[in-house]
Each structure stands twice: as C-alpha cells, then as structure tokens.
Amino acid sequence: MNKYLLTLALSTLSAVTFAQATISPAKKQTQTIAITGATIHVGNGTVIENGTIVFSNGKIVSVTAAGAVPQGGAMEIKAAGKHVYPGFIAPVTNLGLAEFESVKATLDFQEIGNMNPHIRSLIAYNTDSKVPATLRSNGILMAQITPEGGTISGSSSVVQLDAWNWEDAVIRTDDAQHINWPVLPRFRGGFGGGRGGMGAFNPEALQERRNAAIADLDAFFAEAKAYSEAKPDVVNTRLAAMKHIFDGSEKVFITANSQKDIVAAVNFAKKYGITPVIVGGEEAYLVTDFLKENNISVVIKQPHSLPSSLDDDVNMPYKNGAILANAGVNVVVSIEGYWQQRNLPFMAGTVSAWGLDKEKALSTITLNTAKVLGVDKTTGSLEAGKDATLFISVGDALDMKTNNVEKAFIQGRDINLDNLHKQLDRKFSEKYGLKVK
C-alpha cells in the first residue's frame, strides 16, 4: 500500500511542479507577416539568399529573393544573417503518449494483444504534456504520434505541436498502420551489449515461433482483406480498421532491421498490393537496389547508435542514411524516445556530416517526412499555398552548436518558445547569480 501512496505522491508533486508554468497555445494569425533578408532553406533542396517570405491567414503567400514587403499594414521581421526553415517533423514517436516513465498511469502507448489495428494513438495524445514545448525550441513543430507493441500496434496520426486538444492538433488522422515484423532474437556481443550464447535456446524452436507469428500475421491480413471486400452484417472492429490500407488511403509502416527481414516484409506487403514504409532499416544499405526498385521509403532510426554486428563498420549507423539517399531511396530520419525528440535535427546533421548534402539532409526531417506521412501538399517545405509552419534560427539548425531558434510559427501562429528546460535554467541561474539566458 505504501508503494502506491508513494507513486501517487510523486506523480502529484510532478504535476503540481509542471503546472506552475503553463504555456497556452498561440492565437490565430491576424496580421500579414513578412520575414526579410534571411537565408531561406525551402526544404526541397533549394536555398534562397537574402530572401523574403510572406504569409497571411496561416498560409504562405510568397517566397522570393529580395522581395518587397506587402503594403497595407504587414508586419516585417528583419532577419538578415539568419536562417528560415520549414518546421521539422518527428516521425514514429510516442510523444504525448508518455509523461513520467516511472508512473505506469502516464504511459499510454501500448495495448495488450498482438493484433491491434483498431487502436488509435490520436485520441490518447496529451496536448498538455510538457515535452512538446522542448521540441518546439529546436524547430520540431510537427510529429507522427505512433503506438507501440504487439505485431500490429495500431494507427498513427500527424499533429502540430501547439494545441488545446487533439482535435485542434491533428493535421492528418490515421495516416498509417504500424507493424513490427516478427524476428528471431539477436545474439551479439560487444558494442555495449552482453555476449549471448545459443546454448540456452533451441534455434529450431525459435525459428518455429517466428514462422508461426508470420503465419498469424498473414492469416489476419487475408481475413481483413476479405472483410474489406465484403459487406458483413456484424462489424468486426479489428478487421474494419484495416480497410483503408487496402484502398491505399492509409499507409503501412513495418519495423524491420536485418536485410532478410526487410526483404521479407516488403514482399509480404506486396502480396496484398501494399507499398510499405520500412522503419529501422539498420541493414537497409545492403539492399538499396531492392528498395529503389520497389519504391520503398526508409525511416532511419537513431543514427547516433552503434552497429548491429561486430563485423560492421563502427560508423555504419552514421553512413546508412547517406548511402540510401545517394542511391535514390527516399530517406526519413527519426530518433527514439519522446524527451529525446528535441535532438532530431542533430540526427539529420550527422547524416549530412557522413556523406549527404546538407539540404538533402534537411529534407530527411522536412519534405521527405511530409511525403511519407501524406501531408506534403500542406507542409514540409516553404512554398506558396502551404501552411506557414516555419521558424527562424540564428545559426545552422542542424548543428548543435549553432541551432538557436528565436521565433517559430505554426500555421501562421506566433508560438511561445518557452519550455520547462528554459524555466529551470532561469530559476537556478538566478539562484546562483549567473547570467540569465
């Protein structure tokens, strides 16, 4: 009993502490804004020096080189020597579905069972979380909120990170179903992992379990496809949730890392007329031709990591994205966790440092991501007609040393860039008489 009381007390204390500095969502844009003199990184590979970007009513009106400020009361933001970027997008994250890792009641990213296509992450998304504000301060203004666990985890949705509730936040509802491809346990040593032996395991039994899991997934897909083509009298919630992946309106993201699993996952999806997105892709660089031939996008997970095998180049996780992108594969960069999402731009910076053109690296967290999530018609690049979701950085936003976001807009709304980390910095800087940033 004391354990539960302690947990309740800690969670209540945390809630009270966080509630002391509530940040309200920004109000709707009411005045035309023109940002002038900046280096504009469009997001599609184009860079405009000394450019002007104008937006009104939440939409971009024009992006030009040395354009004039519109007449009629437009507000000018002078940004000479600074950089303007499209808002970064964090894919495949449980952001907003978890708050305190030590308190089970605040973890809402996984359900019981293996086949959960009916689970919708969007309705569990917590806009009152203190984490998104820390992301906005580094230019991450949108995210794909994704469930975890099981073989079929459920559907993700795309949101913007400054909203009163999930209804206000949503950009695209139920954009994709997420599948964890059944795999064998990986036994490896070195690189921080303990060396495992096969002596305590029966390889044949493990392979049999994996084959059975794939067979179950295949049977579920076959049943769901038949259900989608029929007009059943009784609604099956799980099967009904699969309908839109067969008509192409909802994508399928499959987590697979080894080259054999990647090939198997793609061929499985093709069997049902689906072009999947591969998530993880640790060994994707070994099957670049296969991925390109099948028009497969890859969401690279955690470029700042160690290789999966002792035989791999120790720098391969850094190089993987560049190898794929330079071969013509559409690459998206992601990072694990939710607090860690604030470091997403630096993952793209690492990919750039290890062989990918800087503007192409930028696309891995902007336009490429928007295309994979099906929202590229409205966001992902700075082009007329798209949402005015963008930010101004004093320096290179992909460089940890120079990233300094001083102003950000989501759909034209001038958002508050304060966050819990900045509040704590000010608090203790004042306590010890340090210079307050």
Side-chain angles (χ1 to χ4, degrees):
M1 184 63 181
N2 291 337
K3 178 180 67 175
Y4 296 110
L5 290 175
L6 178 60
T7 299
L8 178 61
L10 288 173
S11 60
T12 302
L13 177 61
S14 299
V16 170
T17 301
F18 286 169
Q20 291 176 354
T22 301
I23 301 172
S24 298
K27 295 182 179 180
K28 186 177 181 180
Q29 181 183 7
T30 57
Q31 183 181 22
T32 298
I33 297 174
I35 301 174
T36 62
T39 298
I40 299 176
H41 303 263
V42 177
N44 59 5
T46 303
V47 178
I48 301 174
E49 302 289 347
N50 189 27
T52 296
I53 180 167
V54 179
F55 52 98
S56 180
N57 296 318
K59 296 289 184 179
I60 297 174
V61 176
S62 63
V63 182
T64 57
V69 178
Q71 300 298 315
M75 181 177 75
E76 180 181 8
I77 299 176
K78 297 180 180 180
K82 300 175 182 178
H83 302 260
V84 176
Y85 295 89
F88 299 154
I89 310 171
V92 195
T93 172
N94 61 4
L95 177 72
L97 303 180
E99 197 69 18
F100 309 117
E101 292 177 304
S102 60
V103 182
K104 186 177 180 180
T106 70
L107 305 180
D108 202 13
F109 51 78
Q110 182 173 340
E111 296 294 337
I112 296 172
N114 282 328
M115 306 296 181
N116 292 315
H118 60 301
I119 298 301
R120 302 177 66 230
S121 63
L122 179 61
I123 59 175
Y125 176 61
N126 176 24
T127 54
D128 290 326
S129 169
K130 302 307 173 189
V131 183
T134 68
L135 275 62
R136 298 197 300 257
S137 293
N138 276 356
I140 302 141
L141 307 181
M142 294 163 283
Q144 180 193 33
I145 309 305
T146 306
E148 300 176 359
T151 302
I152 301 180
S153 304
S155 66
S156 59
S157 291
V158 185
V159 300
Q160 50 87 3
L161 302 183
D162 183 61
W164 288 103
N165 49 54
W166 65 262
E167 292 93 340
D168 292 340
V170 68
I171 294 175
R172 184 181 178 192
T173 302
D174 301 328
D175 68 294
Q177 284 285 343
H178 292 260
I179 297 173
N180 295 304
W181 188 253
V183 298
L184 290 170
R186 304 183 75 173
F187 301 94
R188 65 185 185 186
F191 296 129
R195 182 174 297 277
M198 295 296 292
F201 300 92
N202 183 331
E204 293 182 359
L206 291 174
Q207 184 63 53
E208 186 176 334
R209 286 176 57 186
R210 174 179 180 272
N211 292 342
I214 294 175
D216 288 344
L217 180 63
D218 191 23
F220 187 85
F221 260 73
E223 186 177 4
K225 185 171 178 61
Y227 182 93
S228 70
E229 296 170 348
K231 296 181 179 179
D233 296 328
V234 179
V235 175
N236 184 312
T237 306
R238 281 181 167 82
L239 298 181
M242 298 280 285
K243 179 179 179 179
H244 296 299
I245 69 171
F246 298 115
D247 64 22
S249 59
E250 190 172 358
K251 294 190 177 184
V252 173
F253 282 52
I254 306 179
T255 296
N257 284 297
S258 75
Q259 57 177 321
K260 290 183 178 179
D261 288 336
I262 291 170
V263 172
V266 171
N267 287 334
F268 172 84
K270 286 173 60 181
K271 174 181 175 181
Y272 291 97
I274 299 167
T275 300
V277 175
I278 293 297
V279 179
E282 289 181 5
E283 295 183 356
Y285 66 95
L286 296 173
V287 288
T288 52
D289 291 341
F290 173 81
L291 294 170
K292 187 175 180 180
E293 289 168 4
N294 288 279
N295 194 30
I296 305 298
S297 296
V298 179
V299 180
I300 299 296
K301 294 280 282 186
Q302 203 79 15
H304 284 192
S305 60
L306 293 167
S308 58
S309 171
L310 287 172
D311 295 326
D312 289 342
D313 179 349
V314 71
N315 295 315
M316 186 50 68
Y318 299 160
K319 300 176 181 179
N320 192 11
I323 292 172
L324 292 169
N326 291 332
V329 176
N330 186 55
V331 173
V332 172
V333 169
S334 68
I335 185 173
E336 296 177 351
Y338 54 100
W339 277 110
Q340 297 89 334
Q341 293 299 319
R342 65 187 184 276
N343 291 321
L344 177 65
F346 314 134
M347 301 298 107
T350 294
V351 174
S352 172
W354 287 86
L356 189 61
D357 173 80
K358 177 61 73 72
E359 296 306 313
K360 290 183 179 179
L362 173 65
S363 294
T364 66
I365 55 174
T366 54
L367 188 56
N368 288 6
T369 310
K371 289 178 178 178
V372 166
L373 305 187
V375 295
D376 55 303
K377 300 296 183 183
T378 58
T379 193
S381 60
L382 302 178
E383 300 176 80
K386 290 191 174 184
D387 289 347
T389 300
L390 51 94
F391 65 91
I392 302 172
S393 176
V394 174
D396 182 352
L398 302 189
D399 187 340
M400 188 178 293
K401 292 182 178 180
T402 59
N403 176 301
N404 183 6
V405 178
E406 65 174 21
K407 208 164 191 60
F409 301 86
I410 294 180
Q411 296 170 339
R413 297 179 296 112
D414 187 355
I415 67 172
N416 190 331
L417 288 177
D418 199 11
N419 63 50
L420 182 62
H421 295 170
K422 292 180 179 179
Q423 292 158 14
L424 291 173
D425 179 41
R426 290 195 298 269
K427 177 180 178 179
F428 290 100
S429 292
E430 291 173 0
K431 176 180 179 180
Y432 294 107
L434 303 176
K435 183 179 179 181
V436 179
K437 295 180 181 180

